[in-house]
Structure formats: structure tokens, C-alpha cells
Amino acid sequence: MKNKLFMMILVLAIGVLAACGAKEDDANNSNADSSTDKQVLKVGTSADYAPFEYVDAAKGEEIIGFDIDLIKLVGEKIGVDMQVQDMDFNSLVPALQAGKIDVVISGMTPNPEREKVVDFSDQYNETEQVIIVKKDSGIKKEADLAGKKVGVQTASIQENLGNEIAKKVDVSVEGRTRIPEIIQDMMSKRLDAGILEGGVAKGYLKTNDQLAAFPVEEQPEDFKAIAVPKGSNLKEKINKALKELAEEGKIQELEEKWLEKVE
């Protein structure tokens, strides 16, 4: 009886150990599988800036545009999935600083104030700045803005540009959170003009025959770059990806697909 009892206990013990080993193997296999999943980076953008980032409501709710295609190609190069989310432009840099997002691509131009708190990639696009007006406004040059109200996107290079113009011309510069608000307020005569990037203005000129545009007289050095947290190793990885994409002609393909100069 003692021998039988001993044998039964031994069999049970072996069974328990085997089950534990199987569970450990399953856990290890599960960990191995999860380790092959791509890292996800949260990308902040302000999706009111066609053709760089916007939503075509007629086709769905997906954010599309030059910047969106570009950041996805960058993600492929560095082996991560880029998860894009829409935010107000003036909240992008604070969100990056706070760690709520990992990357910003939003037609953003580096400037001394931004460079104090975030790092920027190499440039990936250059552009011109224009003043957009209604055709019947009588405004054809910067001097005609005297006594007028000009709309700009808050915390943008256009806001800085508007303030520079205001030093030469008696013009009131008013900030708006989103680009469409500038156009809407122009159409309703709450604003007389707006300062936009040429590529962005192009879209409004194509869809609204009441609008016209002319270049800003003193064009600032304006190029776009991708923002990452201060000191992040993402900067080096993104720069390498941008260089490869440029050499492969991929960035030029995106420019041909999305961007045109204002005529």
C-alpha cells in the first residue's frame, strides 16, 4: 500500500511539474511573439492644413496629405507604426514636451522659441508665404492692408510674419486656432485678409473663385521639419530616413502628388 501510495504521489508530482513547464513555455512563446510587434509612435498634427494634413469629409474621416504620407514612409524606414492624431496647432509643442505624443509633423517651421524646448529634423520642404484676400477687397499689396484686419493661425510662422508687417503697415493682426476660421471670417467680413502658406492657399483658391492671393514682400526663410522631444534619439533616425527617401525620389513623388505653387 505504501509503495502504491508513493507511486501515485510521484505521478501527480510529475504531472504538476510538466504542466508548469508547459505554461512557462507558453508564456515565453507569447513574449517572443509580442516582441516582434512594431513599436507605435504617437504623431501629433493639426489636420486643418491642406494639402499637408487635412480631412476630406466627402471621403471619410481619415487624416490625409503630404505630411501624413511622409511620416508613414519615415515609419517604414525606422521600423515603427506611426499613429496620427489631430490636435490644435498651438497645443502640439506642449503635448510633445509633456510626453503625450512622440513626434510632431504639421507643416511646422523651426524657430528659436520652439528650438529651445524641442528638437527638429532636417528640413523636408520649402515654401512661400502669401496674403489671401477677397477679389473685391481692393487689396493688391501689403500697403493696402493699412487700417485692415489680417487673420493668422495662432503660434504659427504666419503670426510672426503678420507682426513684422504690422511694424511697417498700420494693420491689426488677429489669431485664429484653425485655418478654415480665417477663411470663414474673411468671407463674412470679420477679417479683410489672411496670411497663409502658398500650398495651403492654393487649395482655397481652387475651390473659391472669390479669392485671390499675392506673395508676401519679404519672404522669410521657411522650411518644414519634424519635431521630436529634446535630446531624443529619434532625431538621428528620422534624419537618416529623410535622407534615404530624398535619395530614392520618394519626397519628390509626394511633392508632385500633393503640392503646387500658387498661380
Side-chain angles (χ1 to χ4, degrees):
M1 287 295 293
K2 287 181 180 179
N3 287 340
K4 287 183 179 179
L5 182 60
F6 174 76
M7 290 300 293
M8 289 175 64
I9 293 171
L10 182 60
V11 169
L12 286 171
I14 291 171
V16 170
L17 290 172
C20 290
K23 287 180 180 178
E24 186 175 348
D25 287 343
D26 287 344
N28 289 336
N29 288 336
S30 176
N31 288 337
D33 290 341
S34 63
S35 67
T36 61
D37 291 342
K38 280 187 176 181
Q39 179 187 2
V40 175
L41 294 183
K42 292 176 286 186
V43 180
T45 195
S46 180
D48 63 335
Y49 208 62
F52 290 93
E53 43 270 326
Y54 67 107
V55 175
D56 186 344
K59 297 180 180 179
E61 298 180 357
E62 183 183 5
I63 302 174
I64 59 175
F66 176 90
D67 283 350
I68 307 306
D69 282 359
L70 178 61
I71 202 64
K72 288 178 179 178
L73 289 176
V74 168
E76 291 175 9
K77 285 287 186 184
I78 65 178
V80 302
D81 284 332
M82 297 293 192
Q83 187 180 79
V84 180
Q85 58 190 81
D86 184 24
M87 308 175 70
D88 287 343
F89 187 81
N90 59 0
S91 69
L92 289 171
V93 169
L96 191 61
Q97 289 180 268
K100 295 179 180 178
I101 52 177
D102 304 297
V103 180
V104 167
I105 187 166
S106 195
M108 186 172 284
T109 300
N111 62 28
E113 183 179 352
R114 292 170 182 159
E115 288 175 329
K116 288 178 183 176
V117 293
V118 300
D119 285 339
F120 284 96
S121 72
D122 295 336
Q123 69 181 66
Y124 64 83
N125 176 259
E126 291 187 59
T127 189
E128 67 173 352
Q129 303 298 318
V130 302
I131 295 172
I132 191 166
V133 297
K134 291 184 69 177
K135 287 181 178 177
D136 61 2
S137 67
I139 301 172
K140 300 185 183 299
K141 56 185 183 297
E142 287 183 16
D144 297 333
L145 293 171
K148 307 293 186 182
K149 295 180 181 179
V150 177
V152 295
Q153 187 172 40
T154 301
S156 69
I157 187 175
Q158 289 80 25
E159 182 175 45
N160 296 337
L161 189 54
N163 291 333
E164 287 300 313
I165 293 173
K167 293 177 182 178
K168 303 179 294 181
V169 181
D170 181 21
V171 60
S172 174
V173 180
E174 298 190 7
R176 298 290 188 270
T177 302
R178 297 267 178 169
I179 297 293
E181 295 174 24
I182 296 174
I183 304 301
Q184 290 166 8
D185 285 354
M186 281 175 53
M187 300 308 295
S188 61
K189 298 184 179 180
R190 287 191 290 270
L191 291 172
D192 301 292
I195 304 176
L196 303 182
E197 183 181 316
V200 176
K202 174 207 69 176
Y204 290 103
L205 296 175
K206 280 189 172 181
T207 57
N208 189 332
D209 61 7
Q210 297 183 56
L211 298 175
F214 56 90
V216 168
E217 290 176 5
E218 294 183 20
Q219 288 288 333
E221 182 184 15
D222 183 18
F223 60 86
K224 295 172 180 51
I226 298 167
V228 297
K230 202 74 176 171
S232 171
N233 63 1
L234 276 174
K235 177 180 176 178
E236 183 179 348
K237 294 178 180 179
I238 290 173
N239 282 343
K240 183 174 182 292
L242 289 174
K243 182 179 179 182
E244 291 175 1
L245 290 169
E247 291 172 348
E248 294 166 5
K250 298 294 185 182
I251 293 180
Q252 183 177 348
E253 288 177 12
L254 293 183
E255 289 174 343
E256 292 171 355
K257 175 182 177 182
W258 293 105
L259 309 179
E260 298 173 21
K261 286 189 177 292
V262 178
E263 297 178 357

